[in-house]
Amino acid sequence: MTSISATEFASLLQGVLPKSTKRIGVAFSGGPDSLSLLFLLNRHIYQYQPGLSLISITIDHLLQATSTQTTRHCQALSETLGVENVSVKIPWGLAPFPPLPEKGTPFEQVAREARYHLLFDVMRKRNLDTLAMGHHADDQVETLLMRMLRQESNMSGSETTQFKLGWAGMKKLRRWGMGFGRGEGSLGWAGAEGMAKWIARPLLDIPKDRLVATCKEHGLQFVNDPTNFQPEITIRNAIRSTLVQQGNEAHSDKIRSGTDVAVRMAASALGCDSLQSSPNLLRSWVKHLGSEAQALDEKVTAYLESHSMIPKPSTLLLFSQELLENNPGISTAVKHSLLLRVLRFISPRPWGQPSAEAGRHVTQLSALAERILQSDKIPILLHKPFTHGADVLWTPVYLRSDGSIKLVSPSTTIKVNDRFGWLASRSPIRNFGASSDRPRTISVDVEKQINQRCPIDVLWDNRFVVTIRPWLFPDSVLDVLTKESSSCRIAVVGQGRWVLPRVEVQQGDETLRVFDLSSKVNECVDYRFVRVLSSI
């Protein structure tokens, strides 16, 4: 098996690293996957992109007797390559980390969450743009089989959303997003900072044995994690064990059955003999699915560029009627992918979490597509506003030729050149039942910021970053704020139909001053919408 050359790796990096990348971290466990990636990246930077900086990041999970020894080995390997290593121990039991898992209990998921939390923490502290990870083609096959087993009832479908969107596996490049936590201070939370950081996986088309060959050719001493083939720990491990014929009967029967189905589907999709090597066939199929998913993303991006607009911050107007008329026969997968993109863009739920995409449930998406992307179902003038997941309100409107927006009602007069569309916006507060679902009024302490001239950044409603510079407030406001006996506070609250943020200086129940998005020039407060409509 051949190792990976410098020129091949340079081609693998094409389109994987964001153009803005200047500082890269490698998630480094000492195994052949991350070690080969660290070596290849380091060599690539030296030969082709000396302006980039590189560090390795090792997380000591303290869950095995050898974990600290492995961490030292990682430090020594990085030093040999001339790459700085940052090693961090998981502080089990210290907020926001859970207690150390008890011996004999499954720990893979909780260890993964703690690891990702610390990886992002290092990215933030070291001002890294991109985290590179050593996932490879065999990891993609395992991911495919895991998702197929979870969605077994849908495996016979000819064109399910899972098939098009989920089974393609991991993306080579994706935005970190707001993380998997439940808010500031929680495990896995990344917030607005996560919207500007990336995860890159340049080795997804490469099988593991080539990574091992790369390490051996260059004399790189990797370590093997003994838990990787223990099927009782995770379903991924059980799949891995079965694929290399090391699985036990408790796990293997269902996995072998699922693998056989996957092999037959792969052979059918690729038009080849299902008796050829299963691993190679499945790798080829996952790569094929990845290409299909990329083509799907590009098609959705083109549709949104030509058939939507953003009339106000945190809204999107989708010209659904024109989209359907200009693109007859649009597939279910495209419809679902497009709606997922819009939901994620508008929702006040954390960007990147399933809750921002209506849970990614096919039934939810199908019902939404039935309302938004089906022609001739209901006369336009009978359409009404509705919500259907992710806290997004869909309102039928007409865009007038003068740029104004007219809400649809039975009495609406349709004018020449009016364009019908669905206006997606954040659901108004009054539509929520549970108080926990409402955007919070966020109060901030400003005395330190006034004295030290420190801007206050607030991620509000997971949609806007509000930057407040209180020392630039009018003197009349500063005088009140800085009085020792003052009960004044600064708060960010929601306003209007679109639930847009505004900054208020409050004293008791009285509002002394308001700074909102309509302010023409305002050095005191900036509002930045942080959600993105892109596919990654």
Side-chain angles (χ1 to χ4, degrees), residues 106-299:
F107 61 81
E108 188 79 7
Q109 181 63 25
V110 68
R112 179 183 181 276
E113 291 177 354
R115 178 170 174 257
Y116 269 78
H117 183 97
L118 289 176
L119 286 170
F120 184 80
D121 192 51
V122 174
M123 289 188 74
R124 180 177 55 81
K125 290 177 178 177
R126 299 300 296 267
N127 196 28
L128 303 180
D129 310 294
T130 302
L131 180 73
M133 306 190 82
H135 296 108
H136 48 75
D138 297 331
D139 291 322
Q140 287 285 68
V141 170
E142 293 165 9
T143 300
L144 164 70
L145 293 175
M146 283 174 58
R147 293 177 179 177
M148 289 183 72
L149 290 170
R150 289 172 182 166
Q151 301 163 355
E152 194 170 11
S153 62
N154 296 313
M155 286 168 60
S156 60
S158 59
E159 188 194 49
T160 64
T161 298
Q162 294 97 327
F163 179 87
K164 289 291 185 182
L165 303 181
W167 294 1
M170 296 170 278
K171 290 179 179 287
K172 293 180 181 178
L173 176 67
R174 76 166 178 86
R175 196 179 302 272
W176 191 286
M178 293 183 181
F180 53 84
R182 296 190 173 185
E184 189 171 353
S186 64
L187 186 69
W189 182 250
E193 287 181 285
M195 298 300 291
K197 298 193 183 297
W198 302 88
I199 296 176
R201 297 183 173 99
L203 302 177
L204 285 181
D205 292 337
I206 306 297
K208 185 185 182 77
D209 50 10
R210 290 197 64 199
L211 304 182
V212 173
T214 300
C215 290
K216 289 182 176 180
E217 179 174 313
H218 297 281
L220 303 172
Q221 298 298 314
F222 56 84
V223 297
N224 284 308
D225 185 347
T227 66
N228 280 344
F229 288 92
Q230 294 179 10
E232 67 276 8
I233 294 180
T234 66
I235 183 63
R236 182 180 288 276
N237 284 6
I239 290 170
R240 185 178 298 137
S241 297
T242 302
L243 289 176
V244 297
Q245 308 302 315
Q246 295 179 4
N248 59 45
E249 292 306 315
H251 294 275
S252 294
D253 288 345
K254 183 177 180 180
I255 294 170
R256 286 197 185 100
S257 175
T259 302
D260 289 343
V261 172
V263 168
R264 290 195 297 271
M265 293 181 72
S268 175
L270 300 176
C272 59
D273 188 348
S274 63
L275 297 178
Q276 68 169 277
S277 168
S278 295
N280 287 336
L281 185 59
L282 291 175
R283 289 177 195 136
S284 298
W285 190 36
V286 175
K287 186 175 180 179
H288 173 74
L289 290 173
S291 298
E292 283 196 335
Q294 182 177 349
L296 184 67
D297 284 340
E298 291 171 355
K299 182 175 289 188

